[in-house]
Amino acid sequence: MDIDALRSFLAFVETGSFTRAAKQVHRTQSAISMQMKKLEQDLNKKLFQKQGRLLNLSHDGQVFARYAKQLVQLHDETVKQMNAAQPSTLLRLGCPDDYAESVLPKLIKLLHKCWPNLDLQITCTPSNRVKIMIDSGHLDLGIITRSSDTEEGYTLESSQGVWTYNPLFNAHRIEPLPIAIFQRDCRFHQAATDGLHKQNRAFKIIACSGSASAQRGIVRSGVAIGAMAKLSIGDLTPLDCQSLPALPIVDIVLIRANSSQNPVTDITCLELCQSYISINNASEKKPSFIGTY
């Protein structure tokens, strides 16, 4: 239905005549008549009835008048809101599951300060996959663990690798040692397995996963101990055991796609990381319980 025809119909409802309705909506009487005929065709209903020389609304016309008013009001409100709305900024962000509960929320706050009307689309996937999606143009921005042999990206923060366990269970005393670790391209995977091999210590990989949530769940159940960044351990307990191989410190960095459509520039990346570091430095450090045996 034509919105102008609805306005003309409501003008008739208000004035009671096509002549006065035509003046109100600044159309000719013949144009109003044609609009009303088209409305009746669209609805397959008679909206008007003659009573002597007068033209009144039929029963269907009276029913339709209520809906016509709502339709015009909804149309006008929609147009008003769409004209008032600021254009949104689409940003596609990739983040490993490791940092979804620690790094990601703080970065999201900073992103929304940069772009108040931000359309943020987040993909949780391992660092190597984030880099692939950045290179292929499927992501604009990525949080990743920096490779040990590169200086890529802009540093957000660093985190010490730790062994984790559930002190309610004895997984750390079992031989061969059951471990839950990330996939092979993870630095903690390499450090854990290489270190245990060098110690000639028997171990069994219970599971390899690209998900920190999955690793935490396995460790929490007491099936294995884990190896992950301290900022990713959640409610798990760090395991302080001198007989286990040391795990490296990892750098969590921000990388961007080199695309003209990317709303995030190199300067923006640098400013985001500087703001992130300032917030981290200002925040209070909560003490954590260290389990020993």
Side-chain angles (χ1 to χ4, degrees), residues 202-274:
F203 66 93
K204 180 180 180 180
I205 298 177
I206 299 300
C208 285
S209 171
S211 166
S213 299
Q215 186 175 153
R216 284 194 296 265
I218 293 168
V219 173
R220 194 180 295 114
S221 72
V223 175
I225 65 172
M228 60 200 313
K230 189 174 182 180
L231 60 73
S232 303
I233 66 175
D235 61 351
L236 297 180
T237 303
L239 176 59
D240 185 14
C241 178
Q242 299 302 317
S243 64
L244 288 172
L247 298 176
I249 295 174
V250 295
D251 294 325
I252 298 98
V253 302
L254 201 59
I255 60 173
R256 63 175 291 272
N258 187 19
S259 166
S260 58
Q261 286 76 39
N262 191 347
V264 183
T265 64
D266 285 322
I267 294 176
T268 308
C269 266
L270 181 59
E271 291 174 345
L272 284 168
C273 291
Q274 289 173 341

Side-chain angles (χ1 to χ4, degrees), residues 68-251:
K69 185 175 183 179
Q70 294 176 23
L71 287 169
V72 170
Q73 288 176 341
L74 180 60
H75 171 273
D76 292 346
E77 182 181 346
T78 301
V79 171
K80 180 180 178 181
Q81 290 298 322
M82 294 304 294
N83 288 335
Q86 296 180 356
S88 61
T89 300
L90 174 63
L91 180 60
R92 302 164 300 169
L93 172 64
C95 176
D97 182 60
D98 321 22
Y99 311 131
E101 296 179 8
S102 52
V103 178
L104 183 60
K106 289 181 280 189
L107 182 62
I108 287 175
K109 289 181 180 179
L110 293 174
L111 290 172
H112 277 277
K113 286 183 179 179
C114 288
W115 296 280
N117 198 27
L118 179 64
D119 179 7
L120 183 60
Q121 305 292 324
I122 298 174
T123 300
C124 279
T125 191
S127 291
N128 64 333
R129 181 63 184 164
V130 170
K131 288 192 279 188
I132 291 172
M133 294 180 73
I134 286 282
D135 292 340
S136 63
H138 289 91
L139 291 175
D140 303 306
L141 197 63
I143 302 169
I144 64 166
T145 303
R146 176 188 282 157
S147 301
S148 58
D149 57 348
T150 71
E151 292 297 326
E152 64 185 333
Y154 299 85
T155 302
L156 288 165
E157 63 178 298
S158 300
S159 184
Q160 174 67 56
V162 295
W163 293 95
T164 62
Y165 80 129
N166 186 337
L168 298 177
F169 299 94
N170 293 314
H172 54 290
R173 300 183 186 278
I174 297 174
E175 294 292 339
L177 183 69
I179 61 174
I181 49 180
F182 290 118
Q183 295 167 332
R184 295 183 184 277
D185 59 338
C186 172
R187 293 181 64 189
F188 299 132
H189 180 115
Q190 299 169 0
T193 55
D194 290 351
L196 290 169
H197 279 306
K198 289 178 181 178
Q199 292 178 349
N200 292 318
R201 183 166 184 176
F203 66 93
K204 180 180 180 180
I205 298 177
I206 299 300
C208 285
S209 171
S211 166
S213 299
Q215 186 175 153
R216 284 194 296 265
I218 293 168
V219 173
R220 194 180 295 114
S221 72
V223 175
I225 65 172
M228 60 200 313
K230 189 174 182 180
L231 60 73
S232 303
I233 66 175
D235 61 351
L236 297 180
T237 303
L239 176 59
D240 185 14
C241 178
Q242 299 302 317
S243 64
L244 288 172
L247 298 176
I249 295 174
V250 295
D251 294 325

